[in-house]
């Protein structure tokens, strides 16, 4: 099994910073089901790590992530799953983002190139996001006949408010530039091209210099208050996605994407 995720610990002041690098080495960094599992395991590996205060998550030099891998054989097998198997398989994404959100350590995303779909879902589950000036985000799910899931909608809503969240989700072909992402409060800092990781490490060093227990408890309090109603608001995420995946529009959206043509949706 290919190893898509590498973890480096003991960095920065007193060795309290870790870097998790997700890089499939293809310049695209799509999220196959196996990649989702590895990223989830990476987050969970910090559960009993009292020596690490900050975790920086980064992708490759050309992309943070292109989102879910529509060409992956295991992912494509969803089309032949019964509803029960499909619902279980669709929990891979929410499990990933919840694992990163629930980490006791402060998490910072360093985004270069493009960050699309599931990449955005993962990024908004982090505490902070730093984006290179020439990078962009895009949320194409609706354009593929899907709905945005992985509990991403409430997270985006907390960051941007309702109108910007609708704009980002519904206008599926719209690229969100780094400047727009900063203006919309989707990211906290914009860095020079190729310098997102450096900027993330600088922020991580500032956090790592703070008292670890106070930082962890403060993060927990803020998250519990901010996300108190998220489970209620998004408890049907998986079922909505499963339902949407059975529509003709979803089939048309995926086929159009793979054939590089404009989809023709019919509302069924």
């Amino acid at each position: 099994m290919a190893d898509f995720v590498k973890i480096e610990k003991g960095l920065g002041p007193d060795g309290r910073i870790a870097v998790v690098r997700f890089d499939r080495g293809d310049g695209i960094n799509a999220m196959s089901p196996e990649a989702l599992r590895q990223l989830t395991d990476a987050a969970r590996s910090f559960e009993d790590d009292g020596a690490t205060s900050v975790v920086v998550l980064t992708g490759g030099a050309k992309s943070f992530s292109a989102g879910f891998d529509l060409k992956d054989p295991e992912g494509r097998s969803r089309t032949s799953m019964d509803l029960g198997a499909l619902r279980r398989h669709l929990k891979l994404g929410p499990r990933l983002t919840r694992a990163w959100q629930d980490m006791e350590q402060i998490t910072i995303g360093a985004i270069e190139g493009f960050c699309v779909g599931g990449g955005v879902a993962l990024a908004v589950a982090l505490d902070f996001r730093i984006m290179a000036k020439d990078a962009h985000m895009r949320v194409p799910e609706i354009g593929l006949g899907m709905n945005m899931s992985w509990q991403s909608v409430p997270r985006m809503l907390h960051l941007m408010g309702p109108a910007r969240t609708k704009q980002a989700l519904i206008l599926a072909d719209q690229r969100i530039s780094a400047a727009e992402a900063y203006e919309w409060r989707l990211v906290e800092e914009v860095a020079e091209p190729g310098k997102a990781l450096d900027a993330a490490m600088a922020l991580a060093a500032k956090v790592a210099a703070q008292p670890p227990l106070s930082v962890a408890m403060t993060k927990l309090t803020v998250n519990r208050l901010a996300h108190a109603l998220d489970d209620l608001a998004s408890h049907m995420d998986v079922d909505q996605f499963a339902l949407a995946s059975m529509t003709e529009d979803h089939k048309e959206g995926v086929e159009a994407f793979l054939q590089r043509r404009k989809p023709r949706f019919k509302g069924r």
Side-chain angles (χ1 to χ4, degrees):
M1 192 70 69
D3 186 5
F4 302 139
V5 179
K6 292 181 173 58
I7 302 174
E8 187 177 2
K9 295 186 178 183
L11 305 175
D14 300 320
R16 300 201 65 84
I17 301 173
V19 172
V20 176
R21 187 180 297 276
F22 169 49
D23 191 357
R24 297 185 64 172
D26 57 5
I28 297 175
N29 252 19
M31 292 179 169
S32 63
E34 177 57 27
L36 296 179
R37 295 185 185 100
Q38 290 186 23
L39 282 163
T40 302
D41 289 343
R44 289 175 173 172
S45 73
F46 290 95
E47 287 178 355
D48 297 316
D49 184 354
T52 302
S53 296
V54 190
V55 178
V56 176
L57 175 63
T58 188
K62 297 181 179 178
S63 67
F64 184 76
S65 175
F68 190 75
D69 191 349
L70 294 175
K71 298 180 180 180
D72 180 80
E74 184 183 351
R76 296 282 287 172
S77 70
R78 289 176 172 179
T79 58
S80 59
M81 291 179 182
D82 62 62
L83 183 58
L86 178 61
R87 292 182 77 249
R88 288 188 292 274
H89 201 269
L90 289 176
K91 291 178 182 178
L92 287 172
R95 192 175 295 142
L96 162 68
T97 55
R98 176 55 68 90
W100 278 90
Q101 178 176 290
D102 286 350
M103 287 174 64
E104 187 168 277
Q105 294 80 6
I106 294 294
T107 54
I108 306 171
I111 301 168
E112 296 281 352
F114 50 84
C115 179
V116 180
V120 176
L122 176 55
V124 298
L126 306 177
D127 296 311
F128 303 103
R129 289 145 294 279
I130 296 177
M131 193 171 176
K133 188 181 294 184
D134 59 347
H136 72 268
M137 292 184 174
R138 187 164 65 87
V139 188
E141 273 73 5
I142 285 183
L144 294 168
M146 310 175 191
N147 66 298
M148 187 65 168
S149 57
W150 301 8
Q151 210 170 52
S152 305
V153 175
R155 294 184 182 117
M156 294 174 74
L157 186 65
H158 295 318
L159 292 170
M160 299 191 293
R164 289 300 192 194
T165 298
K166 291 172 189 174
Q167 185 174 356
L169 294 174
I170 295 173
L171 301 181
D173 290 334
Q174 178 177 346
R175 286 189 173 191
I176 304 169
S177 69
E180 288 171 327
Y182 179 76
E183 179 188 348
W184 295 6
R185 298 184 299 170
L186 192 52
V187 301
E188 285 69 47
E189 186 177 338
V190 175
E192 291 300 316
K195 299 295 183 180
L197 180 57
D198 291 343
M201 292 299 287
L203 175 58
K206 293 178 182 178
V207 174
Q210 305 303 317
L213 295 179
S214 296
V215 169
M217 289 188 288
T218 299
K219 170 179 173 171
L220 179 63
T221 299
V222 172
N223 277 6
R224 288 292 185 268
L225 288 169
H227 302 291
L229 297 179
D230 286 5
D231 287 338
L232 177 63
S234 59
H235 73 284
M236 292 296 290
D237 259 9
V238 168
D239 292 315
Q240 287 176 344
F241 193 98
L243 181 62
S245 71
M246 295 178 177
T247 63
E248 291 182 21
D249 279 349
H250 171 61
K251 182 179 179 181
E252 166 63 12
V254 173
E255 288 181 355
F257 171 79
L258 296 175
Q259 296 169 12
R260 299 187 177 183
R261 61 173 174 80
K262 288 189 71 66
R264 297 180 292 274
F265 295 126
K266 299 179 180 177
R268 59 181 185 231

